[in-house]
Amino acid sequence: MTNEDIDQVIQIDEESFPNPWPKHSYFYEINENTNSRAWVMEIDSGDKKEIIAMAVLWLVLDEVHIGTIAVHPNYRGIGMGKIFLSEILENAFEEGVIKAYLEVRKSNEVAIHLYESMGFQIDGVRKEYYRDNREDALMMSCEI
Ligand SMILES: CC(C)(COP(=O)(O)OP(=O)(O)OC[C@H]1O[C@@H](n2cnc3c(N)ncnc32)[C@H](O)[C@@H]1OP(=O)(O)O)[C@@H](O)C(=O)NCCC(=O)NCCS
């Protein structure tokens, strides 16, 4: 992800989550947070490039925390999320990461299915973790 990508990334964020990140958060993750790895997946159709997925991860020693990940609504359900997350985790592994962590809304069946299909397991629950509707978060992790 580069600064030029941020506007398209924000559109995906806004169409994916009730509490999207502000622009300055992406700017900070790309330019200032040295622990951060910010990724986009692009379709290149010759004359134009379209961002179809985005993610931000935080690396701490040999662990990575997935801060956010989303696929553009027009490209969901066709395997893009799985390819994107696999590539991202492979890259983290090449940087020495051996374990990945994330939180996911208890009701987010598609995301939970994606994570479980990639080997993540549920470690516990953070009660009322999400401020907008006080929904619980499932804590998930995976050896990579
Ligand atoms: C969660 C998300 C990233 C998944 O990306 P995606 O590209 O739609 O997922 P994929 O097409 O790669 O599918 C991954 C798995 O989920 C399953 N899946 C996809 N859409 C599904 C649906 N609507 N219902 C049930 N399962 C579904 C697929 O069958 C696949 O499992 P399989 O490999 O066992 O067949 C995407 O739906 C998204 O951006 N959602 C909104 C943001 C979000 O919730 N992010 C996660 C926050 S923790």
Side-chain angles (χ1 to χ4, degrees):
M1 190 186 299
T2 65
N3 291 336
E4 290 70 40
D5 295 333
I6 291 177
D7 287 340
Q8 280 189 71
V9 166
I10 283 174
Q11 275 186 13
I12 295 175
D13 198 347
E14 287 174 350
E15 292 185 62
S16 301
F17 299 109
N19 295 318
W21 292 8
K23 190 169 187 171
H24 65 79
S25 295
Y26 285 103
F27 193 82
Y28 169 77
E29 298 300 344
I30 293 169
N31 300 291
E32 292 177 44
N33 186 356
T34 53
N35 289 330
S36 183
R37 300 293 179 272
W39 293 100
V40 292
M41 187 181 208
E42 280 180 341
I43 289 185
D44 188 344
S45 55
D47 52 343
K48 79 174 173 98
K49 286 182 185 170
E50 184 185 1
I51 292 173
I52 64 159
M54 62 83 173
V56 177
L57 295 82
W58 298 294
L59 264 62
V60 181
L61 302 175
D62 60 359
E63 296 179 352
V64 68
H65 189 109
I66 300 169
T68 190
I69 181 165
V71 172
H72 188 292
N74 293 348
Y75 295 92
R76 287 182 194 157
I78 54 170
M80 292 296 122
K82 202 164 189 173
I83 294 169
F84 187 47
L85 186 54
S86 304
E87 291 280 330
I88 286 169
L89 293 181
E90 194 174 317
N91 188 276
F93 182 74
E94 283 166 12
E95 286 203 73
V97 167
I98 56 168
K99 192 149 186 181
Y101 293 90
L102 57 84
E103 284 96 21
V104 57
R105 283 177 196 262
K106 210 173 159 183
S107 65
N108 193 345
E109 288 174 13
V110 175
I112 294 166
H113 185 107
L114 165 66
Y115 301 137
E116 284 184 332
S117 77
M118 294 185 65
F120 280 79
Q121 62 182 34
I122 297 168
D123 298 325
V125 179
R126 287 193 206 279
K127 298 298 275 181
E128 300 184 2
Y129 180 77
Y130 296 99
R131 281 190 218 142
D132 59 314
N133 63 352
R134 307 178 80 187
E135 184 172 353
D136 294 349
L138 301 184
M139 297 149 60
M140 301 186 78
S141 70
C142 172
E143 313 273 343
I144 58 175

